[in-house]
Amino acid sequence: MSDAAQPTAAEVRAAAEAVKTALDRHLAAVERRSGEDDPAVSEAFNQLAAAAEAYDELLYDRYDEVTPFEIPGAEDTLPPYAGPEEPHAISVLIRRDYTVTEPQRLLAQAQRVEAAEYDDGPDEDAAAGTVPGALGILFGEFEPDEIASRHKEFGLEEGDSTLWVTAAEEPPEAGEWLEAPFEHIDPQQVVCRFDVSAVFDDDVSDGEDGDDDLEFVEDEDEDEDDEAGEAEPEDVEDGDGEPEPLDAEK
């Protein structure tokens, strides 16, 4: 980091004072707690964790020093579950990030899918000629789980991902949340959450074991086993030296 971008000593000092204030608030909340799952204690805990993390980052940026604080992961800071004991409906929220590492491969695969829909091949101005258009074609043709398991075929590299399961008394009305699918999520309705990120790699002895948190999900394990037993997608070529055409039929 350049000197111009470094935080000032005053900013570091202010962050340290914020940690002290958050410590006092947390202790006061603990002393006044009304029960084992007092929301005031949870809020004070989260504020303390945020203040400690901010101070740690500024201290490192300014002085190249670290603190002994262990900042809990996001899954450890969810409030206690307060949803129905016997939920009649659940929602599964998934976000997966990708990097487009091979645009030409992405375009080629989209063009193969589009070509299968035309007798004389796709239009020159077809959507498959652009990266946004190619993404629309591929994600419209293949299930997200299939793209996740075959991402290298599509010129994509996996990034962070998260999966949340929330509970409800009754399922929502059809179409009522489609325009804002990830808004109005009550953290206290979250049954469980699983995160996969490169930031966790330091805690894993083998980089390929980073998905251990999801081992109990049998279907995902089976997909991983199947993928491990097959040749790398980019190693499969047709006679022209191009990636083998995808099966455009579902």
Side-chain angles (χ1 to χ4, degrees), residues 106 109-110 113 133-143 147 154 246:
L106 178 74
Q109 298 290 34
V113 171
L135 289 169
I137 290 172
L138 293 175
F139 277 88
E141 181 69 17
F142 300 98
E143 294 291 336
I147 289 180
F154 300 103
L246 298 175

Side-chain angles (χ1 to χ4, degrees), residues 215-228:
E215 281 188 353
F216 71 94
V217 184
E218 295 181 0
D219 290 342
E220 292 190 18
D221 277 347
E222 292 173 2
D223 290 342
E224 290 174 1
D225 291 341
D226 292 342
E227 184 181 354

Side-chain angles (χ1 to χ4, degrees), residues 31-48:
E31 291 173 337
R32 297 193 306 266
R33 71 188 312 158
S34 59
E36 184 177 352
D37 296 329
D38 190 333
V41 175
S42 297
E43 182 179 359
F45 173 89
N46 292 337
Q47 291 175 349
L48 176 57

Side-chain angles (χ1 to χ4, degrees), residues 175-226:
E176 74 173 350
W177 52 260
L178 293 178
E179 292 193 11
F182 301 112
E183 292 185 5
H184 311 302
I185 299 300
D186 184 352
Q188 291 189 302
Q189 304 290 317
V190 177
V191 177
C192 55
R193 170 179 176 174
F194 304 98
D195 298 321
V196 178
S197 174
V199 301
F200 304 141
D201 288 350
D202 292 340
D203 300 327
V204 181
S205 57
D206 185 348
E208 295 183 357
D209 294 336
D211 294 334
D212 285 350
D213 289 343
L214 300 177
E215 281 188 353
F216 71 94
V217 184
E218 295 181 0
D219 290 342
E220 292 190 18
D221 277 347
E222 292 173 2
D223 290 342
E224 290 174 1
D225 291 341
D226 292 342

